[in-house]
Each structure stands twice: as structure tokens, then as C-alpha cells.
Amino acid sequence: LNLLGLDEVPEDADLLIINGPQRDLSQEELEVLEKYLSNNGKAIFMMELLIQELPNFQTLFQTYGIELTNSLVVEGEQGKYIGGNPLYVLPTLSSHEIVSPIKSNSIPLIIPGAQAIQVAGSTRNTLTIEPLLTTSDKAFARSASSSETSLEKQADDLSGPFTLAVAIEDRVYNLSANEAFTARMVVIGNSGFLNTSLEGAGNLFMNSLNWIFEREESISIRPKALGVQPL
């Protein structure tokens, strides 16, 4: 969907998926998204780490109580990353309904090259922000613009723990319209997890969809696909 030149998101759009954007929103796109989300909007944001700043995306996220740190997470605790690579994070899963089935069934989930998400200390009372995935307190995060290549923590690195994904609900009651407007969104500081081919990735994505549409009864673990695709 190209938002440029549009005054609003089309009415027949049930959900927006913003997957690994490589550039910032324009001011016009930002205004369209703000309008959409304030009117029962539903969205999934999967945000890759980029060297350049994304001020308009940050403006949108700050409205909903979070901010991208524009920094790469390095996990420092043994057993919390895979393949000897501390950039391939095995996140801690919260008790939220999106991830609790993945957690209780010990389904593998990796977040490769994750970006840390900062949750505001105080927000308006209409907002509910719940972490989904977090790191250990031994993790650190390095600015995307850093030229440092060592996987040892440096003085300028941020100290963990970090949030890697959040579920956000904004429930606003409009007195004049006598109606409640509810925005629901999931923000993940990575899109590459979908390419890992692990069961947890697909379940995280599908459970996020069901939660956004308030179909919590459909949140589950999907059966393994046993078929083999020939090359």
C-alpha cells in the first residue's frame, strides 16, 4: 500500500503490516498513520536496525509510549544466544497471551540482529504497553552508527536488560461520539526473525495477528508442517 497521495488508509484495510522499512515516513504518511491508528487502527511494525535515524517513525512511536533506540543488542549471558553468536538472541518470553503458548511449549524462537525498544517511564492512562520479548541483564546495546567491531561491552554501549517486542493497546473513550476507540499494535525491533524458519517465528507472528483482532481464543501453537518442498 502506497500511502503517498492518500488522505487516509483505505476503509477496507483491516490491518497494516510495516515490514522492515528502509527509509523514514514522510510527513504526509505520518499524518495518515496517526489518523488511522486513532480510529480503531491495527498494525504490526517489524523494524530493522538502520544507520540513519527515523524521526517520523519515532514521533509515531512516542505517541504510543515507546521509542526505538537505534542500537544493536548483543546478548552477554551464556545460553541466551545460539550458535556461539551473541547477536542471535534467544529472548526471554513474557506471560502475555501472544507468547505464553510459545513459552509453555518450549518452542524455539531467535531474534537475529535485534534492535532495543525503550518503553517510556510514564504514559497517558489510556495506554497499556506490555513487553513480549526481553534480554538478560547481561545484554548490552551498541549504536548503529558505531564503528566498533568488538563483541565486548564498550564504555559507550547501553546496559541491559532490553525489550525487543511490545504489545500496545490505546483505549480512548470519545464523549462526543459516545464511543470507545481502541488501537492495537505489536512492535518488534526486528523483521529477520521470520527468515529463521523456526516454529516460534510463525507462532509469534500469527498470535500477534489474533491478539490485534481480539481473537485471543485463536491464539495457539500451530502444528508442524511435515511436508517437504522440493527445490
Side-chain angles (χ1 to χ4, degrees), residues 136-188:
S136 77
D137 57 4
K138 293 182 180 179
F140 62 89
R142 181 168 297 157
S143 171
S145 60
S146 173
S147 59
E148 178 61 56
T149 59
S150 170
L151 292 179
E152 297 296 324
K153 189 175 186 298
Q154 305 297 309
D156 294 338
D157 294 338
L158 303 174
S159 298
F162 302 105
T163 298
L164 306 181
V166 293
I168 302 173
E169 181 179 84
D170 188 26
R171 190 179 294 271
V172 179
Y173 187 77
N174 189 310
L175 289 174
S176 60
N178 193 26
E179 185 179 357
F181 292 86
T182 303
R184 274 193 168 191
M185 69 188 79
V186 170
V187 182
I188 304 171

Side-chain angles (χ1 to χ4, degrees), residues 92-101 103-104 130-134:
T92 299
L93 280 63
S94 74
S95 58
H96 191 279
E97 52 260 46
I98 290 176
V99 293
S100 59
K103 180 179 181 179
S104 61
E130 298 177 273
L132 301 176
L133 310 174
T134 57

Side-chain angles (χ1 to χ4, degrees), residues 8 26 42 49 69 76 99 118 121-122 141 160 162 166 169 179 193 198 210 214-215 219 225:
E8 60 184 9
S26 67
K42 298 174 175 64
L49 179 68
T69 62
V99 293
Q118 183 175 340
S122 60
F162 302 105
V166 293
E169 181 179 84
E179 185 179 357
F193 74 96
L198 293 179
N210 283 316
E214 301 186 51
R215 295 197 299 249
I219 292 177

Side-chain angles (χ1 to χ4, degrees), residues 96-127:
H96 191 279
E97 52 260 46
I98 290 176
V99 293
S100 59
I102 304 173
K103 180 179 181 179
S104 61
N105 287 274
S106 301
I107 303 296
L109 174 64
I110 298 173
I111 307 296
Q115 175 171 196
I117 298 171
Q118 183 175 340
V119 179
S122 60
T123 61
R124 59 183 184 278
N125 58 13
T126 63
L127 274 177

